[in-house]
Amino acid sequence: MSRIVSFVILLWLGMMPAWGGSRVALFLPDDTPFWNRVALFARAAAGDLDAQLTVFDADADRLKLLRQLKQVSSTPDRFDAWLFPNFLRTAGHFLVQCQRLETPCILFNSGLADDQLGAPRRPNPQWIAQLIPDDTGSSMEITRELIQQARQNNSDRPIAIAAVNGYQADAPAIKREEGLRQVAETTDGARLKQVFYTDWGAQQAYVRTAGLLRRYPAVNVIWSANYRTTNGILEALDDAGRTPGRDVLVNGYDINPQALSQVADGRVAVTAGGHYVEGAWAVILAHDYLTGKDFQDQGLVFHTPLLIVTRDNVENVQTVLGRIEKEPDSLYRVDFSQYSRAENPNLKDYDFSLREVLRDYQDASAPER
């Protein structure tokens, strides 16, 4: 979905739709493929829930984002809810302002760097929810899949795992490593040799991988923290004369076109991603809260499941996401109101997964018989 056309997003920025309903502000760090997908899914959900959505793009500029916050704060009657990530630790500023203005807000995509501002509803009642990718759970699934495939390749060979992570203090790195360790350290026949830390970039991942291959020549699984570290790992394996997918199994951590191609080609054993769908989930939670359907019984921190992709399902995922990439408006075929508890009183639990959306998209796109 990396080529979702920018003009579709730009048409949304700073514009208020013509329909009525709740007025929601969505703050995004930048106009990149990932954040464009967040906006696309948010817009699709807003349309089905009769919500007015305004998207603010910070152009990767922290100061611009804070200026946008000041702009919105100076007209507190304009929006009924704010949705924002913790871009360069700006979430604290948003939380202070939403409490001052008594405007419900939802933090998504990332958590706070510390706990000084508490948690949703405690002590700030306007911080109504938080959406975070299920980094621990997805990492556990990835690790299990890597171990399973390693056993299939050679059932008699010990499974030696090395890991290339991001910054040691970053929340996603911490949570993903927790998932890795929970599985690797409790699975018979598997051993985690060492975790190497990087700046999340391909170059440092290349250097770390080249070093670990010299230190642990028998390693047959290299766990990766994100798609950039995966690219560095693959390059280092190639340069070392090792064949990814045969000599060493590697995972990805995204479902962009490149990652899906790597899985289809067999160079990457498994990947996970798709948490840009949180754009839709944040809109749905805001809508339900504003229409009187509080979700405290469901919890206040939601861990968004990541879509797990292997060679078994990669062709289907490529087809569906490729269609959405070429025709972004086709996502409007999905009725996002079906995921709202306010719109569906009999709906007991939220299902905040990309898998469900893609299945509904396929059903809606299937030709009538």
Side-chain angles (χ1 to χ4, degrees):
M1 301 222 358
S2 62
R3 296 177 298 179
I4 292 179
V5 288
S6 297
F7 76 86
V8 174
I9 302 299
L10 293 174
L11 286 175
W12 300 341
L13 301 181
M15 296 179 62
M16 297 294 288
W19 54 79
S22 302
R23 300 161 299 177
V24 179
L26 174 65
F27 296 87
L28 301 181
D30 201 2
D31 179 17
T32 63
F34 176 84
W35 293 112
N36 285 350
R37 296 170 201 154
V38 171
L40 175 63
F41 276 79
R43 181 70 172 192
D48 289 331
L49 296 171
D50 197 29
Q52 301 177 11
L53 182 72
T54 301
V55 180
F56 293 89
D57 173 16
D59 293 324
D61 186 338
R62 184 179 188 272
L63 294 179
K64 180 176 180 179
L65 181 62
L66 293 177
R67 288 195 299 270
Q68 291 170 336
L69 170 61
K70 184 177 180 180
Q71 172 191 345
V72 171
S73 299
S74 65
T75 56
D77 61 339
R78 183 178 180 186
F79 296 105
D80 299 304
W82 301 347
L83 317 175
F84 51 87
N86 189 18
F87 173 58
L88 295 179
R89 301 191 177 188
T90 53
H93 297 274
F94 280 86
L95 293 174
V96 169
Q97 291 301 316
C98 74
Q99 182 172 17
R100 180 179 70 85
L101 299 172
E102 297 184 348
T103 300
C105 61
I106 295 175
L107 174 61
F108 73 96
N109 182 255
S110 55
L112 296 177
D114 54 53
D115 58 0
Q116 292 182 354
L117 293 172
R121 314 280 178 104
R122 302 189 306 271
N124 181 353
Q126 302 302 326
W127 179 10
I128 61 173
Q130 181 167 312
L131 281 160
I132 305 176
D134 186 7
D135 287 314
T136 300
S138 61
S139 179
M140 292 178 69
E141 290 191 67
I142 282 173
T143 307
R144 290 192 191 101
E145 182 66 27
L146 287 169
I147 291 173
Q148 179 181 340
Q149 290 192 33
R151 283 177 171 160
Q152 291 172 348
N153 286 357
N154 191 336
S155 59
D156 298 327
R157 184 181 176 187
I159 299 170
I161 306 171
V164 179
N165 206 343
Y167 285 117
Q168 190 170 6
D170 279 4
I174 294 170
K175 294 298 183 182
R176 291 176 185 182
E177 185 174 327
E178 286 178 359
L180 163 69
R181 290 187 178 277
Q182 285 184 39
V183 174
E185 295 175 357
T186 58
T187 300
D188 292 338
R191 183 178 178 185
L192 178 59
K193 295 292 189 178
Q194 189 172 344
V195 178
F196 298 83
Y197 300 98
T198 71
D199 61 357
W200 297 99
Q203 181 58 38
Q204 283 198 12
Y206 176 94
V207 173
R208 299 291 187 274
T209 303
L212 75 85
L213 289 173
R214 291 191 294 269
R215 185 170 185 177
Y216 304 110
V219 69
N220 50 2
V221 171
I222 300 180
W223 177 96
S224 174
N226 81 340
Y227 71 93
R228 291 187 296 274
T229 52
T230 296
N231 291 336
I233 293 167
L234 294 175
E235 185 180 355
L237 287 171
D238 290 339
D239 288 351
R242 309 286 289 274
T243 303
R246 187 185 68 189
D247 302 329
V248 181
L249 297 182
V250 183
N251 69 282
Y253 235 117
D254 201 345
I255 54 172
N256 59 27
Q258 181 187 39
L260 294 176
S261 294
Q262 290 168 341
V263 173
D265 294 343
R267 286 172 59 79
V268 167
V270 55
T271 191
H275 53 288
Y276 44 77
V277 77
E278 287 178 349
W281 304 148
V283 169
I284 290 170
L285 287 177
H287 168 80
D288 285 4
Y289 181 87
L290 292 170
T291 52
K293 184 65 175 179
D294 201 344
F295 39 77
Q296 289 195 70
D297 62 312
Q298 295 281 293
L300 302 176
V301 177
F302 297 87
H303 296 278
T304 309
L306 273 64
L307 182 66
I308 304 297
V309 182
T310 66
R311 295 194 76 173
D312 292 335
N313 65 340
V314 65
E315 183 177 352
N316 182 60
V317 174
Q318 283 179 311
T319 299
V320 176
L321 292 184
R323 189 180 306 155
I324 296 174
E325 176 188 349
K326 293 177 182 177
E327 303 174 42
D329 287 349
S330 68
L331 186 62
Y332 289 85
R333 298 171 187 171
V334 177
D335 180 9
F336 282 89
S337 68
Q338 67 184 301
Y339 307 116
S340 162
R341 294 176 75 205
E343 301 301 317
N344 301 276
N346 294 327
L347 185 64
K348 294 183 178 180
D349 301 308
Y350 289 115
D351 186 351
F352 286 166
S353 67
L354 179 60
R355 182 183 62 250
E356 287 300 310
V357 176
L358 296 185
R359 182 158 52 198
D360 291 336
Y361 177 85
Q362 285 183 292
D363 291 343
S365 303
E368 296 184 2
R369 295 183 179 179

